[in-house]
């Protein structure tokens, strides 16, 4: 069992009320892979430029992530994002985005990456997501994320991509926008009519909600008094969620269980990884996270939601 | 044991994407009292005008609520609110507010109302809240709600009123505004430094969070595919929450328990009553609600938050 994560590998320059960083390691595939690496074997797929150094590879490699499917484009520049947050850190303000090597990216997966049982198509152009999906035909659980840009500019491709996955993980506002339906429960049902049997609505600090054919589940965000940088929280959630499901299947002898009870535990793992992600800039907190800290926060989360 | 609820008794004219009503029974004290009436004895306190008819009294009386502390102002007009909601029903748009008899209201509580063990000061001018609080000196659990208007115009009075209660129930945005602190956990702690030992942050469709000296708890909103009118949801939450606590103390021989486990169950009762409130216009749904429906939705809520 292993998880392939395809998405952006990036340099992020971020300013929040609590500090700033220039060109730190980031990107959806990076945040997701690091989070998932606590639970299962991970292959990370995406392009980088000549400016991507060994010290950046080492952050992924140090967590045991398979970096052989990272494609290095000679002479190219790594995807770059500059943004900032005001005191309301639910809203990211983008100041600059440079696709760089992502502009001409044509995914070519390694054998190991293409044979993974679980696949996450992080938020990239939906035709690219479909190309990766086609190369991972063995995946028994495929999930995707997307964003308002693709809903508004490449809607047909996005709908086709959604029809080819089992699970959608998106922000609740984007689920409503995609469905053209302000009621979240109805919007999630209409996404399910496109194909997926699992819809996860990410709700920022409010937590996340899970919709399946048989039920509904919701978890609050883990309450934190110190949030330094929310960048990557949603991808860390996806990494904890999918990494837990894949790792659990590994322990079960390859039997991938997607019943409601298991999906709920996966939601809790996603919530915990997202909560650590935001405690420091970029990948800094999750890079130094210990498995014992994951377990202790899972226990805390359980105790603060029981009644 | 009984609960006194002081606040507005109103006529509301409301339009939502799902219909409209002219001059229906509403107001914070009405919504709260109806919700609480499922769990304990309720006294409702507030002024009405000559236009307030027996049929409106009958809605409250029909749920066993003590209406003897409703003050009828001869020749006066009942408080009136006109508003509408777009498809995003988290946001109320106010089109008209007429204080009418509320403009000169001087609370004079009946003996029964002033001797209540539990008191809810619904969202009214904070000096009025303090007058009611002073008349209910026997209350062992006093709670209040407020709004941005009072934070911005009568902040000192509001802070004084908060210092005289045990529990604050407010929208999360207003807790942040009052505390001048965007982090909700920190904002709740700073409200507790004003006096209250219980802070409930109402979060609309996202649910509600509970802060106490010893812990944190959060519940998602009950997911509904059909929301017709959100007016009064927060007051129904407060009624379920405080009504449960007071009713439970009644069953315990007058022993008012405010430990975290009991407060969590109170949060669940508030969530259920709020969810029924929004299923139809004004008081229509809660007026015809059955206790068995409360119990069945409590069980559903529990099952959709366990992991």
């Amino acid at each position: 069992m292993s998880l392939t994560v395809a998405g952006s590998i990036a340099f992020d320059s971020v300013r929040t009320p609590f500090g700033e960083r220039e060109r730190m390691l980031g990107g959806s595939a990076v945040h997701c892979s690091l989070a998932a690496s606590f639970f299962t074997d991970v292959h990370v797929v995406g392009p980088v430029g000549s400016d991507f150094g060994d010290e950046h590879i080492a952050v992924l490699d140090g967590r045991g992530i398979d970096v052989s499917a990272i494609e290095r484009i000679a002479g190219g520049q790594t995807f770059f994002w500059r943004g900032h947050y005001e005191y309301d850190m639910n809203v990211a303000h983008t100041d600059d985005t440079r696709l760089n090597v992502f502009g001409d990216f044509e995914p070519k997966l390694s054998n190991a990456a293409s044979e993974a049982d679980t696949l996450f198509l992080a938020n990239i152009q939906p035709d690219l997501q479909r190309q990766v999906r086609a190369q991972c035909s063995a995946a028994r659980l495929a999930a995707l994320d997307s964003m308002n840009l693709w809903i508004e500019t490449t809607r047909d491709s996005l709908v086709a991509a959604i029809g080819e996955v089992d699970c959608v993980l998106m922000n609740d506002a984007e689920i409503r926008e995609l469905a053209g339906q302000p009621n979240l429960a109805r919007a999630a049902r209409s996404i399910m009519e496109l194909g997926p049997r699992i819809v996860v609505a990410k709700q920022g600090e409010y937590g996340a909600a899970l919709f399946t054919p048989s039920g509904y589940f919701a978890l609050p965000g883990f309450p934190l008094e110190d949030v330094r940088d929310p960048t990557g929280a949603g991808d860390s959630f996806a990494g904890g969620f999918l990494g837990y499901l894949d790792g659990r299947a590994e322990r079960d002898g390859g039997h991938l269980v997607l019943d409601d009870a298991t999906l709920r535990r996966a939601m809790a793992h996603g919530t915990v990884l997202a909560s650590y992600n935001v405690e420091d800039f970029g990948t800094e907190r999750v890079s130094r996270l210990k498995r014992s800290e994951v377990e202790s926060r899972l226990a805390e989360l359980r105790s603060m939601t029981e009644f």
Side-chain angles (χ1 to χ4, degrees), chain A:
Chain A
M1 300 293 296
S2 63
L3 166 68
T4 289
V5 177
S8 62
I9 301 170
F11 289 133
D12 288 343
S13 289
V14 175
R15 176 168 51 81
T16 82
F18 307 102
E20 55 190 307
R21 295 288 188 281
E22 281 296 324
R23 293 178 67 76
M24 61 184 172
L25 177 63
S28 57
V30 167
H31 284 286
C32 177
S33 295
L34 286 171
S37 70
F38 287 86
F39 311 109
T40 197
D41 293 334
V42 181
H43 316 280
V44 58
V45 174
V48 299
S50 301
D51 53 350
F52 201 78
D54 290 343
E55 71 276 24
H56 304 119
I57 292 285
V59 172
L60 298 162
D61 192 50
R63 291 270 341 131
I65 295 164
D66 169 23
V67 296
S68 63
I70 293 180
E71 193 175 348
R72 192 183 291 264
I73 311 295
Q77 295 281 306
T78 300
F79 180 92
F80 174 76
W81 181 74
R82 180 183 295 280
H84 71 276
Y85 300 84
E86 307 291 347
Y87 276 96
D88 175 359
M89 293 207 287
N90 287 306
V91 183
H93 303 274
T94 292
D95 302 313
D96 194 6
T97 303
R98 298 186 190 184
L99 284 180
N100 295 334
V101 294
F102 237 100
D104 303 313
F105 180 50
E106 293 189 7
K108 291 176 288 292
L109 272 59
S110 65
N111 282 348
S114 67
E115 288 166 4
D117 302 274
T118 306
L119 171 65
F120 182 53
L121 305 166
N123 171 28
I124 51 177
Q125 209 277 355
D127 291 314
L128 286 180
Q129 292 181 314
R130 298 187 69 192
Q131 288 178 41
V132 175
R133 178 69 183 98
Q135 292 178 51
C136 284
S137 55
R140 290 179 290 160
L141 170 61
L144 70 68
D145 187 9
S146 193
M147 70 185 296
N148 52 355
L149 175 65
W150 311 126
I151 296 170
E152 291 154 18
T153 63
T154 58
R155 184 187 175 83
D156 290 348
S157 293
L158 176 57
V159 168
I162 288 173
E164 293 164 1
V165 298
D166 310 289
C167 172
V168 163
L169 292 119
M170 284 169 66
N171 290 334
D172 63 340
E174 289 161 347
I175 288 173
R176 295 177 215 264
E177 180 178 354
L178 176 59
Q181 166 58 257
N183 180 288
L184 184 61
R186 285 177 181 268
R189 298 291 160 212
S190 87
I191 303 288
M192 293 169 83
E193 286 167 14
L194 301 176
R197 64 186 188 278
I198 303 165
V199 173
V200 176
K202 298 180 289 181
Q203 300 170 318
E205 71 169 299
Y206 294 113
L210 168 71
F211 298 86
T212 68
S214 52
Y216 171 82
F217 174 68
L219 261 185
F222 191 89
L224 294 169
E225 296 205 0
D226 290 293
V227 174
R228 297 193 76 202
D229 173 16
T231 310
D235 295 303
S236 291
F237 182 95
F241 181 85
L242 294 167
Y244 171 78
L245 291 173
D246 191 77
R248 155 130 194 178
E250 171 75 26
R251 293 199 307 281
D252 286 352
H255 183 56
L256 186 67
V257 178
L258 296 175
D259 60 15
D260 280 16
T262 306
L263 291 170
R264 288 171 176 213
R265 283 192 290 272
M267 293 278 288
H269 285 72
T271 298
V272 165
L273 267 293
S275 76
Y276 279 118
N277 180 99
V278 305
E279 285 188 346
D280 212 335
F281 279 83
T283 62
E284 294 173 24
R285 183 67 183 92
V286 175
S287 295
R288 63 175 188 269
L289 185 64
K290 295 184 174 66
R291 181 63 193 251
S292 61
E293 293 175 309
V294 174
E295 296 302 329
S296 67
R297 192 163 281 180
L298 275 169
E300 279 187 272
L301 182 65
R302 189 185 301 274
S303 78
M304 65 180 49
T305 55
E306 283 175 343
F307 71 92

